[in-house]
Amino acid sequence: MIKLNNVCYAYDGLVALRHVNLDISKGDTVVLQGSNGCGKSTLLKLLNGLIFAEEGEYYFDGKLITQDEMKDSKFSKNFHKRIGFVFQNPDVQLFCNNVHDEIAFGPAQMGLTSNEIEKRVSDLLTLLNIDHLKDRAPYHLSGGEKKRVALASVLSINPEVLVLDEPLAGLDKSAQDWLIDFLQELQSAGKTLIISTHDDNLAHLLGDRIVYMNEDHTIDYVL
Amino acid sequence: MIPDWLKEQEEYNAVPDRDGFLTRSILSLMSMLASFRTKTISYGSKYPAPLKLIVCLAMIFITSLARNMLIVCTVLAILLAHICFLKNEFLVRTISTSLAAALLSAVILIPAIFLGSPQSMLMVSTKVFVSVGLVGILASTTEWNKLTAGLAAFHIPDVFIFTLDITLKYIVILGNISMDMLNALRLRSIGHNNSKAQSMSGVLGVTFLKSRQMSEEMFQAMQCRGFEGEYRRNSND
Amino acid sequence: MHIPDNYLSPSTCAVVAAATVPVWTYSIRRIKAEIPKEKMTFLGVGAAFSFVAMMFNIPMPGGTTGHAVGGTLIALLLGPEAACIAVTIALLIQALLFGDGGILAFGANCFNMAFILPYVGYYAYKMIARILHADRLGAASRGKLVAAGIGSYLGINAAALAAAIEFGIQPALFHNVAGVPLYCPYGLSISIPAMMLGHLTIFGAAEVIFTVALYAFISKTSPGMLRDAAPADTAKKNSFPVFILLAILIAATPLGLIASGTAWGEWEISEIPTMTESFSWASLFPDYSMNGLPDFVAYILSAIIGVLLSIIIFRFISAKMKRTTKF
């Protein structure tokens, strides 16, 4: 489903990705590990079409993802619907007046009826234990609550692929355990997961495959 | 526990929407942040900043006062000679901004031709190119914090210089925050957004609230390091 | 609305800048009195926010986009005095580091966007809020949003009018012996409709949308951030000196301009050329060859400029095409 061929990317003259080859099949869970600054976040941004390879190709479901292709509004919207990104810093993702609207933002754009939208919102509020936060402004929530709201607001568009950048960062132990369980459920539901993390526990519990990014921005497979 | 709709793979056909405001805002933020990132300046770092400011100001003043194209062209020649020595990225940026400003002026002044003063278009456009170019060289050849510190030579109060330094730092921080938010918004803009202005205000609103929070934390950090409300610059710049 | 250099004569720039100095002094004094020392750090951050906000494209109905200055919004959040300084700093950075807005014209730009815009916007907001009985302390009501919208619309159009006037008086006051305007060649009859058309429509709409949407968001999310309406009598006390100042400045500026125009002696008020004057290329540069200077100076100069331009064009193109990273 996702294929990276010799992808290279540099930022301000500094190399971030070097000859990266990666194959991810539908339903896989891939865990991305590596030290800070090795290019994990860059790779995730590239997978989501925020930045584009300078050399090499990125294929999503057989289609080549380039800057030109993404200029087509329809193409890019269809793409973004199928792959969801949960940023490391949830603050960056939350821009609505209250949690309900935040979760409803995605489905509202999809043209669903208001009943369908409400169903999705209430399902996710329950699923992520944030029902009591429905009318609160996301900006004032605690770190853990924000992470759950961000996750819900991405899940509401029902993406096939879910990309998570350091999902456990900043959470206390019980919240981390909860999240790991939740991700396992999403795994069983057939989602393709791509997770970058420093946490070895997560990697071993979830990862079908662990991909390691080296300091020279290349990639190794570790099982 | 996982609801059925979340387990299904649904067919989706997006409706195109006018998202120009998003991509254009992201682009202007990106280029703005990029110009803050260029660390090494082009040349001329040994000249003190206040001197460079005065010279630049004087040349802009002369250009503006000139009634004779000869004077303007002389300054133009000096300007171009300087630009030749700039590093690539500074050269591109300076020329781009000067040219854009001059062309814009030319377009605005086209009607002047029909009103009986065609000289205005040529004169003002050339002068605009020169003035903007002079500022571009100043910015390319002086580290920005030295430039703001240079203003101190004109007896501008320290608190103003201090505020200016904070502004420069926070433009980068706030710029990055709002750009990340715009990107996150773009990722979730998968169809038709009926309330684009509301989304935009959400991005800027959160940026403002965060900036407020950061400034309070910054003051608290300063207090922890002995700050009591008086701003004094070190004079070893 | 940023005025570049060479559209206003240096004397206009100097006079308007001089008129802005008391505004800056007043604003700084009020800020020191009202905002405790610790909040001074926020001035810098507020200026940064103002700068970043000016980069945003505001989506408007019909798919058009525009830019806003946001001076009224900042005045609603931090007060007009802080807005004045924040916008001033943002304009300074734009002029000095980005070439956006002239250096000589910096005073004029501040007069329009850092003085007129936030002060008119803020006090218009107060007046309208009072008329709509929406000026009680507390969360925003519909009335406050309407007042914010109208206030910001008036603010930006007042600033545009000021800029239009600054432009429009140029040709009459500053032209050379032949009557050719040296700076902005459009008189008031052109500059005013030209500036106002854009600002009564697109830029006004962008400013209103920006101000109202952001005000609504912040009042829903963090209403404590809004600078609530001060008690009525304090408001009266505050506005009095500002309006006096404004009146004096408006009266003094044209006088100052006319006085300096003749005092400098460089510009003679001669007849405005009529439309029937013939046009020839030679008249493009009537002063191109000065008396006493040989023609070859001009030729050498053009040769030098030509060479330099070719070098620069070549470097420009190759810089754009080069990709320097080796993977």
Side-chain angles (χ1 to χ4, degrees):
Chain A
M1 183 166 210
I2 289 179
K3 198 172 166 59
L4 294 174
N5 264 350
N6 249 333
V7 162
C8 300
Y9 182 81
Y11 180 75
D12 268 356
L14 294 168
V15 175
L17 296 173
R18 195 197 304 267
H19 300 303
V20 170
N21 288 296
L22 191 57
D23 257 306
I24 301 178
S25 310
K26 198 167 158 51
D28 272 359
T29 300
V30 172
V31 173
L32 198 56
Q33 288 198 299
S35 54
N36 289 330
C38 63
K40 294 200 304 286
S41 290
T42 312
L43 181 59
L44 296 184
K45 285 191 185 151
L46 191 132
L47 287 171
N48 280 276
L50 284 177
I51 55 179
F52 302 95
E54 285 176 35
E55 280 178 28
E57 297 91 35
Y58 168 33
Y59 292 95
F60 183 84
D61 200 16
K63 295 201 196 75
L64 186 62
I65 307 293
T66 62
Q67 195 155 16
D68 281 332
E69 292 280 356
M70 292 289 270
K71 284 196 183 133
D72 177 11
S73 178
K74 235 173 106 107
F75 181 85
S76 79
K77 284 180 193 289
N78 281 328
F79 174 75
H80 289 312
K81 189 258 176 234
R82 297 178 67 186
I83 176 166
F85 189 9
V86 182
F87 287 69
Q88 183 175 357
N89 179 6
D91 276 328
V92 149
Q93 273 191 277
L94 307 171
F95 45 78
C96 292
N97 281 335
N98 56 57
V99 169
H100 174 278
D101 289 348
E102 194 74 63
I103 303 176
F105 182 78
Q109 299 216 14
M110 288 166 67
L112 301 176
T113 66
S114 49
N115 279 340
E116 286 168 331
I117 298 175
E118 284 309 315
K119 176 163 180 13
R120 290 201 180 192
V121 173
S122 61
D123 283 345
L124 286 167
L125 287 171
T126 320
L127 193 57
L128 287 146
N129 298 328
I130 46 177
D131 202 35
H132 56 294
L133 302 172
K134 193 167 62 152
D135 296 313
R136 297 268 303 275
Y139 182 76
H140 290 296
L141 302 177
S142 74
E145 289 167 339
K146 280 184 191 167
K147 284 215 151 191
R148 280 182 280 161
V149 174
L151 185 54
S153 64
V154 173
L155 286 173
S156 62
I157 65 174
N158 196 10
E160 294 162 47
V161 182
L162 195 61
V163 180
L164 300 109
D165 195 354
E166 307 273 0
L168 298 180
L171 296 181
D172 60 45
K173 188 76 177 63
S174 64
Q176 290 188 351
D177 289 338
W178 176 89
L179 187 56
I180 295 179
D181 284 338
F182 184 72
L183 291 174
Q184 280 176 319
E185 285 196 43
L186 286 175
Q187 211 178 13
S188 324
K191 298 290 181 203
T192 311
L193 300 176
I194 304 172
I195 308 171
S196 99
T197 183
H198 283 303
D199 191 296
D200 287 327
N201 196 19
L202 176 76
H204 289 288
L205 274 175
L206 276 163
D208 295 333
R209 227 160 51 190
I210 300 176
V211 171
Y212 196 79
M213 286 210 75
N214 299 317
E215 302 234 338
D216 66 351
H217 317 290
T218 56
I219 219 166
D220 276 336
Y221 293 97
V222 173
L223 268 153
Chain B
M1 265 239 292
I2 302 246
D4 289 330
W5 59 265
L6 201 49
K7 293 185 198 160
E8 278 168 18
Q9 185 174 329
E10 49 195 13
E11 285 301 311
Y12 177 66
N13 223 333
V15 171
D17 197 9
R18 281 150 132 179
D19 282 338
F21 76 100
L22 261 181
T23 37
R24 263 174 268 157
S25 304
I26 293 175
L27 275 172
S28 51
L29 280 172
M30 239 175 20
S31 66
M32 183 267 288
L33 288 168
S35 45
F36 272 88
R37 264 198 309 268
T38 20
K39 295 184 189 89
T40 48
I41 58 171
S42 221
Y43 68 90
S45 52
K46 51 187 193 298
Y47 299 109
L51 180 65
K52 284 196 259 188
L53 259 172
I54 293 181
V55 170
C56 179
L57 209 66
M59 295 191 80
I60 295 180
F61 189 62
I62 291 173
T63 312
S64 196
L65 270 180
R67 285 175 293 141
N68 187 337
M69 273 301 271
L70 202 59
I71 298 180
V72 179
C73 287
T74 312
V75 182
L76 176 65
I78 299 174
L79 172 81
L80 293 176
H82 272 285
I83 291 182
C84 278
F85 288 102
L86 293 176
K87 282 203 198 130
N88 272 354
E89 56 211 294
F90 294 108
L91 182 138
V92 168
R93 202 191 312 152
T94 309
I95 292 281
S96 306
T97 36
S98 314
L99 203 57
L103 286 173
L104 186 64
S105 297
V107 167
I108 293 176
L109 294 170
I110 285 177
I113 301 178
F114 304 108
L115 291 170
S117 53
Q119 303 91 320
S120 296
M121 179 176 126
L122 202 58
M123 175 87 100
V124 176
S125 303
T126 317
K127 283 184 176 184
V128 166
F129 182 87
V130 169
S131 306
V132 179
L134 284 166
V135 174
I137 291 182
L138 180 67
S140 302
T141 61
T142 323
E143 277 144 8
W144 290 0
N145 53 353
K146 289 238 167 73
L147 199 57
T148 54
L151 288 175
F154 298 96
H155 297 294
I156 294 179
D158 275 351
V159 57
F160 191 82
I161 310 286
F162 180 78
T163 308
L164 206 51
D165 277 337
I166 295 184
T167 308
L168 288 173
K169 288 190 185 58
Y170 273 82
I171 287 177
V172 177
I173 295 176
L174 295 183
N176 274 312
I177 292 176
S178 46
M179 197 174 73
D180 285 342
M181 289 193 77
L182 286 174
N183 272 321
L185 173 59
R186 190 156 66 119
L187 288 185
R188 274 204 281 153
S189 296
I190 56 175
H192 181 72
N193 184 354
N194 277 327
S195 42
K196 295 189 180 72
Q198 206 174 10
S199 306
M200 169 71 73
S201 71
V203 172
L204 271 172
V206 170
T207 308
F208 175 76
L209 294 174
K210 279 193 92 57
S211 70
R212 201 66 200 242
Q213 180 194 341
M214 281 180 177
S215 79
E216 279 169 16
E217 286 170 5
M218 177 172 66
F219 176 73
Q220 285 162 0
M222 282 158 64
Q223 271 188 312
C224 290
R225 291 163 80 185
F227 175 71
E228 272 164 45
E230 286 308 313
Y231 305 89
R232 237 176 300 272
R233 256 183 343 106
N234 288 333
S235 48
N236 51 1
D237 287 328
Chain C
M1 209 199 301
H2 295 61
I3 302 176
D5 275 329
N6 301 300
Y7 277 76
L8 305 180
S9 76
S11 56
T12 314
C13 293
V15 168
V16 185
T20 319
V21 167
V23 181
W24 284 323
T25 321
Y26 170 78
S27 302
I28 292 181
R29 219 178 288 149
R30 289 298 322 248
I31 289 173
K32 281 197 174 145
E34 279 195 9
I35 302 182
K37 275 185 183 155
E38 48 263 28
K39 301 288 174 74
M40 286 292 267
T41 50
F42 189 65
L43 223 47
V45 184
F49 175 75
S50 166
F51 183 92
V52 171
M54 289 199 228
M55 309 239 93
F56 271 61
N57 267 83
I58 317 286
M60 294 195 286
T64 44
T65 61
H67 284 273
V69 177
T72 308
L73 176 79
I74 301 184
L76 294 176
L77 294 169
L78 307 172
E81 302 84 16
C84 173
I85 301 301
V87 174
T88 300
I89 296 179
L91 290 175
L92 180 64
I93 294 179
Q94 284 173 337
L96 212 53
L97 305 178
F98 290 90
D100 197 0
I103 305 274
L104 296 178
F106 175 68
N109 282 317
C110 287
F111 186 84
N112 302 336
M113 289 186 271
F115 167 46
I116 298 214
L117 204 162
Y119 277 91
V120 168
Y122 181 77
Y123 287 108
Y125 161 85
K126 293 277 275 292
M127 269 198 312
I128 295 170
R130 206 177 304 163
I131 293 172
L132 296 175
H133 301 291
D135 56 344
R136 285 176 308 279
L137 291 160
S141 57
R142 236 331 178 34
K144 276 192 177 171
L145 284 177
V146 170
I150 298 180
S152 61
Y153 186 73
L154 290 175
I156 193 157
N157 281 293
L161 185 63
I165 294 176
E166 286 150 18
F167 281 131
I169 54 179
Q170 297 303 300
L173 292 170
F174 307 110
H175 45 249
N176 66 9
V177 248
V180 174
L182 291 163
Y183 304 102
C184 171
Y186 303 127
L188 287 168
S189 55
I190 301 176
S191 71
I192 293 186
M195 283 287 285
M196 297 317 292
L197 190 66
H199 289 85
L200 287 168
T201 54
I202 298 184
F203 291 109
E207 193 80 20
V208 170
I209 291 175
F210 176 93
T211 308
V212 171
L214 226 60
Y215 190 82
F217 179 89
I218 293 179
S219 56
K220 280 200 197 118
T221 328
S222 278
M225 290 270 180
L226 298 169
R227 182 194 164 100
D228 283 307
D233 29 343
T234 334
K236 279 212 201 82
K237 254 194 297 185
N238 291 349
S239 49
F240 183 68
V242 175
F243 284 120
I244 294 283
L245 187 67
L246 197 48
I248 294 174
L249 287 167
I250 292 173
T253 314
L255 289 175
L257 285 170
I258 294 173
S260 58
T262 49
W264 284 40
E266 282 190 83
W267 303 281
E268 294 114 61
I269 315 287
S270 54
E271 306 124 31
I272 316 287
T274 60
M275 299 278 244
T276 56
E277 263 185 24
S278 57
F279 168 73
S280 68
W281 281 105
S283 67
L284 268 178
F285 300 117
D287 303 313
Y288 201 70
S289 44
M290 288 167 67
N291 288 336
L293 262 183
D295 278 342
F296 74 79
V297 173
Y299 289 131
I300 292 179
L301 197 53
S302 16
I304 294 177
I305 291 178
V307 168
L308 291 171
L309 270 176
S310 330
I311 297 176
I312 288 174
I313 291 175
F314 175 72
R315 282 195 58 194
F316 189 91
I317 295 177
S318 57
K320 283 282 200 184
M321 288 189 0
K322 222 190 285 186
R323 210 260 315 271
T324 49
T325 337
K326 289 263 184 317
F327 291 105

